[in-house]
Amino acid sequence: MDRATIVHENFLRRVAQGDLPQGAEPHGPLRREAAVQLYRSGCLTRALDIVSRRMQAAGEGFYTIGSSGHEGMAAVAAALRPNDMAFLHYRDAAFQIERANQVPGQSILWDMLLSFACSSEDPISGGRHKVLGSKALNIPPQTSTIASHLPKAVGAAYSVGLTKRVKPEHQVLPDDAIVMCSFGDASANHSTAQGAINTSCWTAFQKIPMPVLWVCEDNGIGISTRTPSGWIAANFAHRPGLGYFACDGLDIYDTYATARAAAEFVRTRRKPAFLHVRTVRLYGHAGADMPTTYMARHEVEAEEANDPLLHSVRLLGEASALEREEALAIYQDTLARVERVRAEAVTRPRLKTASEVMASLIPPKRENAPSNGPSAETREVAFGADLKAMESPQIMSRLINWALTDLMLEHREIALMGEDVCTKGGVYGVTQKLGQRFGRARVIDTLLDEQSILGLGLGMAQNGFLPIPEIQFLAYYHNAEDQLRGEGATLPFFSNGQYTNPMVVRIAGLGYQRGFGGHFHNDNSFAALRDVPGVILCCPSNGADAARLLRECVRLAREEQRLVVFLEPIALYPMRDLHEPGDGLWLRHYPEPSERIGLGEVTAHGDGRDLAIVSYANGLHLSLQAQKRLAGEGIAARVIDLHWLNPLPEEALLEALGDAERVLVVDETRRTGGLAEALMTLLTERTEKPHARYVAEDSFIPTGPAYAATMPSVEGILDAARALAGGKA
C-alpha cells in the first residue's frame, strides 16, 4: 500500500476513534470561524494531493510534488493581507488556497485542478506547468525552484520603500505592503538563499526599509538528506538585522499567532524577519519517491502519526469550534468534491502545438503615459558642464553615461543597481555623476553578489520599476545566470504573460583588454545569454550607436516588457582612433535624445560588391580597418554591424548583404558555441553566396602581450577575405 493511502486511512480511523496526537492547547487570537476555515483549507490541500496521484496514475496529471504535512501554511496566509506579494515554496498549496478565501470571486479548486491537468485553461500558466501562482492573489508563479526566488523577494521588498519617494506608473504594491517568501529547510542551505537573506540583513542594517518576511518550512529533510536537528535555528536566530520567530506548523493556533506577530514586526519596523515553521513531510518528496527506501519504517510512521490535520481536529475540538464527527465529514466531503471536479477538469483542452506553447515567451505590450522627454532646463541642471562637452566627439563610455542620464530624467521609474555604480561610478566610470544627479535610492551601490543584483532588478520590476542592473564583467554573469534563465525569462512563460520582468541588464564584457586576462575579466563568450528563450541581446560598437541602442533597449523594456541584455565591449569604452594613432575616428558626437536604432536594424558601412564582412563590437572596429586596406588591394567590401545578437536580425542582414558576392563572418566569440555558428547556418539556408567565418579559438584569454592572440586580428581578417575572394587582388 502506498504512503498516501496509508496516511488517508490512518486519518479516517484515528478521527473516528478519537485517537488524536497530543500537543499544546489552542491559544492566541485565532477565532473559531477562522480556525475552521483553516482546517477546510488544509483538507482541500490534502485532497488535492491525493487526487493528483490518482490523476498521474491515470495519465491525467503530470506533477505530484505535494503540500501534505505543510497544511499549517494556511495559517500564515491568514495572518497576511492579500496585497502582500507572496513568493511561494512549491509545497504551499495551503497558503494559496487560504489566500483565495480572502479575495472574492475565486474558484481555487477548479483553478488548481486545471493546473494539475496541464489544461490550457489553467488561469496562471495556461497549461505550461503545474505551478502555484495567481495574478488575482498577488502570487507570482513558481515551479519547483530551489531558493532562486529569494533574491527577487529582496528586490520587491526594496521597491516598496522606494515607491514612497518615486511613484512608478505601474506600481502594484501599496506603500505599507510586505513581501513574503517561503522555502524549505534544505533550500535554506543553498547559496542563493544565504545570499538573499544576507542581502536583506545587510540592507536593513543600514536603516534602509526592507519589509520582507522569510518563511522557512522545516520538515527536517531534503529528498533524502537530513537537516541536522537545530541547524535552522542556529543559523538564523541571531543574525544582525533579522527578527526571528518560531512556531509549530502542526498547530494552526500557534502558527497563526506567531505569523501574525512576525508580519506585524515586518510591517511596522520595515525590517526583515525569519519565521521558522516546524512541519512534517508526508508521502515522501514526490509521487515517485518512496521514503522507506532511505528512512526506517518507524521514522516514516512517526512522521505520519504527527499528521497536522489530526492535530487540527484535536485543537478544534478543544476550542469547541468543531466536533470530531463534523471534522471527519468535512474531510470526506472535500475529497469527494475534488474527485467530482477532477472528472470535469481532465476533459478541458491542453496545449498541442509549438506555437501555442511559445505564445507566452514574449510578454504583452503595455500602455504607458506619453513622455516628451526632459525639459531643457531640467537637462541643464542635470548635465551641467557636460552640455558644453556634447559639442565635441566623445568616447563610448561617456556617451553611455549621457544616455543613461537622459533616460533617467525622462522616466522616473528607472533605477540603476550594481557593485560600485554610485559612489565610484563603476569600474570604468560609465556611471560617474549619476549618483549625484539622481540620488542613492535610484543609483544603488549593492553588495558584491551578482545573484542579489539581478534579483533586486527582478523584484523591483514586479512593482512597476524599470531596473537597469549592472554586472561588472561578462564572466561574473555566470555566478547568477539562473536569475535570468530560471526566473526572469520564465516568468511571462509560466504566467501566460500576466507577470513580466521588464528590465535592461548592462554587462561589460568581451575581449581585447590589454591589462586584464583570465576567464573573469576578459571573457569572449556570451553563449549562456543567447541560449535563454525570450531574452534580447544587444551589443554596440561605437558611442553614438551605444546611446541609440540603449534608448531602444529601454523602450523595449518599458513598452514591450522585454528582458534585455545590453552587452558593452570594454575595450571600446576608451577607444578614440580607427586607422592611425591620433586620428580620432572612433569618437562620436552625442546623438539627439530622440534618435534610436530599432530592434532588428543593422548598419552597413560602404557598399562594396566583392565582399560583405558581417561583425559587431570589436570585430567591427577591426573589420573597418581591414576594409580600407582591402580597398587598396582592389577588393571592394562593405562592413555590416549587427547590433542585435539575439534574436539575430536575419531579414535586415540578408537585405544589407544585397548584391555582395561573398560573405565573411568575423566573430570575436569562440569557434564552438559562438555567434558565427548561427550566422553560418543562416547564410547556408537562406543564400547562395559563398561564405566563410573567421572566429576566436576555443581558449581562455591570457594576460600580457598575448592578450589578443586567440582572437580575430586585422591581419587575420585580411587573409580570410583574400582567401574567400579567390585571389582577386
Side-chain angles (χ1 to χ4, degrees):
M1 188 181 300
D2 66 272
R3 303 315 303 182
T5 302
I6 291 171
V7 171
H8 168 66
E9 294 190 352
N10 282 345
F11 180 85
L12 297 177
R13 174 180 54 80
R14 293 184 65 180
V15 173
Q17 296 176 355
D19 177 20
L20 303 175
Q22 298 300 304
E25 295 181 355
H27 67 281
L30 184 62
R31 295 178 293 105
R32 290 182 181 180
E33 298 82 3
V36 173
Q37 179 57 58
L38 293 182
Y39 173 70
R40 289 182 179 276
S41 294
C43 287
L44 181 52
T45 301
R46 182 66 56 84
L48 283 166
D49 278 358
I50 292 171
V51 170
S52 72
R53 282 158 172 75
R54 296 174 183 173
M55 291 172 67
Q56 185 184 52
E60 301 168 341
F62 310 94
Y63 201 75
T64 57
I65 289 185
S67 303
S68 293
H70 292 237
E71 289 86 354
M73 287 300 296
V76 177
L80 300 176
R81 301 173 184 172
N83 57 12
D84 293 329
M85 186 168 280
F87 298 95
L88 295 185
H89 181 39
Y90 52 78
R91 296 197 189 278
D92 281 353
F95 183 102
Q96 180 160 316
I97 290 167
E98 180 58 30
R99 174 161 283 192
N101 294 323
Q102 301 171 323
V103 179
Q106 300 303 300
S107 53
I108 189 63
L109 170 57
W110 177 245
D111 294 348
M112 295 187 80
L113 281 173
L114 288 175
S115 181
F116 289 7
C118 287
S119 169
S120 56
E121 295 177 352
D122 166 24
I124 184 60
S125 78
R128 291 171 181 84
H129 206 298
K130 179 258 184 184
V131 297
L132 296 175
S134 167
K135 185 69 173 179
L137 302 180
N138 216 6
I139 302 174
Q142 295 295 147
T143 60
S144 53
T145 52
I146 305 300
S148 63
H149 57 306
L150 272 70
K152 65 183 180 183
V154 176
Y158 178 85
S159 76
V160 174
L162 187 55
T163 55
K164 293 184 177 181
R165 285 178 273 181
V166 181
K167 289 293 183 184
E169 180 182 350
H170 301 287
Q171 180 178 344
V172 173
L173 301 177
D175 290 346
D176 65 344
I178 70 174
V179 174
M180 175 271 196
C181 183
S182 56
F183 48 94
D185 52 292
S187 296
N189 297 304
H190 198 284
S191 62
T192 310
Q194 293 288 328
I197 295 170
N198 178 71
T199 299
S200 70
C201 297
W202 181 86
T203 305
F205 192 76
Q206 301 173 78
K207 312 300 183 187
I208 299 172
M210 182 50 62
V212 59
L213 176 61
W214 303 114
V215 180
C216 180
E217 300 166 48
D218 186 0
N219 60 27
I221 195 168
I223 305 183
S224 66
T225 301
R226 288 285 192 180
T227 297
S229 178
W231 170 246
I232 296 298
N235 201 350
F236 295 101
H238 304 291
R239 291 202 179 188
L242 184 67
Y244 178 80
F245 299 80
C247 64
D248 184 356
L250 309 180
D251 183 334
I252 55 175
Y253 288 85
D254 183 42
T255 301
Y256 176 77
T258 308
R260 186 171 166 177
E264 184 68 12
F265 174 94
V266 175
R267 200 178 307 277
T268 57
R269 302 193 188 191
R270 315 310 285 172
K271 292 183 177 180
F274 189 96
L275 176 59
H276 183 188
V277 183
R278 175 204 170 203
T279 65
V280 295
R281 188 190 73 184
L282 303 180
Y283 308 170
H285 175 68
D289 182 42
M290 296 292 292
T292 50
T293 62
Y294 51 82
M295 294 173 63
R297 181 173 295 275
H298 72 271
E299 293 177 311
V300 175
E301 292 173 346
E303 293 282 85
E304 294 170 350
N306 254 334
D307 183 340
L309 288 186
L310 290 173
H311 279 279
S312 292
V313 173
R314 173 185 60 79
L315 288 162
L316 291 168
E318 292 175 359
S320 300
L322 195 68
E323 297 297 326
R324 283 190 294 110
E325 294 77 8
E326 295 174 294
L328 187 58
I330 289 173
Y331 177 89
Q332 292 173 315
D333 290 347
T334 300
L335 184 57
R337 179 162 57 96
V338 173
E339 280 285 9
R340 289 195 302 273
V341 177
R342 177 197 83 154
E344 175 62 23
V346 298
T347 69
R348 305 313 299 159
R350 296 186 174 113
L351 300 172
K352 295 179 180 179
T353 67
S355 60
E356 288 176 338
V357 170
M358 298 169 64
S360 63
L361 273 176
I362 308 302
K365 297 181 180 181
R366 68 179 175 189
E367 294 297 321
N368 294 274
S371 172
N372 295 320
S375 66
E377 294 77 14
T378 301
R379 294 186 80 237
E380 185 175 355
V381 171
F383 282 107
D386 282 353
L387 281 179
K388 180 66 176 176
M390 289 181 187
E391 298 175 5
S392 304
Q394 302 289 336
I395 58 175
M396 178 191 285
S397 59
R398 200 167 198 192
L399 297 188
I400 293 175
N401 177 281
W402 292 345
L404 287 169
T405 300
D406 267 329
L407 288 164
M408 294 185 75
L409 288 173
E410 184 174 6
H411 306 300
R412 65 182 183 274
E413 69 269 25
I414 290 180
L416 276 60
M417 64 281 298
E419 302 168 22
D420 306 309
V421 297
C422 184
T423 304
K424 178 178 171 59
V427 174
Y428 296 95
V430 179
T431 57
Q432 284 180 355
K433 301 182 182 179
L434 295 182
Q436 301 168 29
R437 292 168 180 164
F438 301 103
R440 301 179 67 89
R442 288 182 68 194
V443 185
I444 308 162
D445 274 336
T446 67
L447 72 178
L448 277 67
D449 178 21
E450 285 73 25
Q451 292 185 111
S452 294
I453 294 169
L454 294 179
L456 178 61
L458 294 174
M460 291 181 68
Q462 292 186 43
N463 195 24
F465 285 91
L466 202 166
I468 304 183
E470 176 183 291
I471 301 298
Q472 280 188 348
F473 295 99
L474 176 57
Y476 290 10
Y477 163 71
H478 299 293
N479 298 336
E481 62 186 59
D482 194 50
Q483 287 300 299
L484 295 192
R485 185 200 67 81
E487 292 291 338
T490 63
L491 188 60
F493 182 74
F494 285 126
S495 69
N496 211 14
Q498 297 171 83
Y499 282 98
T500 59
N501 284 127
M503 66 186 208
V504 180
V505 183
R506 293 179 47 248
I507 304 180
L510 300 175
Y512 296 99
Q513 290 189 86
R514 296 174 185 267
F516 274 131
H519 63 291
F520 271 127
H521 300 100
N522 226 358
D523 184 16
N524 65 330
S525 174
F526 48 76
L529 286 162
R530 289 194 68 247
D531 190 51
V532 184
V535 170
I536 295 173
L537 178 58
C538 177
C539 184
S541 58
N542 64 70
D545 285 354
R548 297 184 183 103
L549 289 165
L550 184 56
R551 293 165 187 161
E552 173 68 356
C553 290
V554 167
R555 188 200 67 79
L556 287 165
R558 182 170 179 266
E559 298 179 9
E560 301 187 21
Q561 304 195 83
R562 300 299 298 271
L563 200 166
V564 187
V565 175
F566 190 67
L567 180 59
E568 301 170 5
I570 297 172
L572 296 179
Y573 277 153
M575 187 65 68
R576 294 174 173 270
D577 306 323
L578 177 57
H579 298 298
E580 303 291 341
D583 66 17
L585 293 178
W586 212 249
L587 299 175
R588 296 290 189 275
H589 281 93
Y590 183 59
E592 287 296 317
S594 61
E595 294 183 19
R596 293 183 287 106
I597 297 176
L599 176 64
E601 292 184 16
V602 303
T603 300
H605 299 267
D607 57 2
R609 293 185 57 188
D610 295 328
L611 178 69
I613 303 176
V614 178
S615 196
Y616 59 94
N618 297 286
L620 186 88
H621 186 258
L622 299 174
S623 296
L624 289 175
Q625 296 175 52
Q627 180 189 40
K628 181 179 180 180
R629 292 174 59 179
L630 288 169
E633 300 177 9
I635 300 177
R638 68 186 68 180
V639 178
I640 300 171
D641 190 348
L642 288 170
H643 303 310
W644 305 97
L645 310 185
N646 195 55
L648 282 173
E650 295 183 356
E651 299 308 320
L653 173 58
L654 294 172
E655 182 178 353
L657 293 177
D659 58 0
E661 296 177 357
R662 305 166 185 82
V663 184
L664 174 64
V665 173
V666 176
D667 179 15
E668 60 188 281
T669 60
R670 300 169 194 157
R671 180 174 302 277
T672 302
L675 186 68
E677 291 184 337
L679 289 168
M680 294 294 283
T681 300
L682 172 67
L683 294 169
T684 300
E685 292 178 344
R686 300 284 301 276
T687 77
E688 300 293 330
K689 301 176 186 291
H691 51 274
R693 60 174 173 161
Y694 174 45
V695 300
E697 300 296 335
D698 288 338
S699 173
F700 299 113
I701 298 173
T703 300
Y707 71 95
T710 64
M711 293 180 294
S713 66
V714 174
E715 293 300 329
I717 295 173
L718 292 170
D719 289 343
R722 292 168 186 144
L724 186 59
K728 179 181 175 65

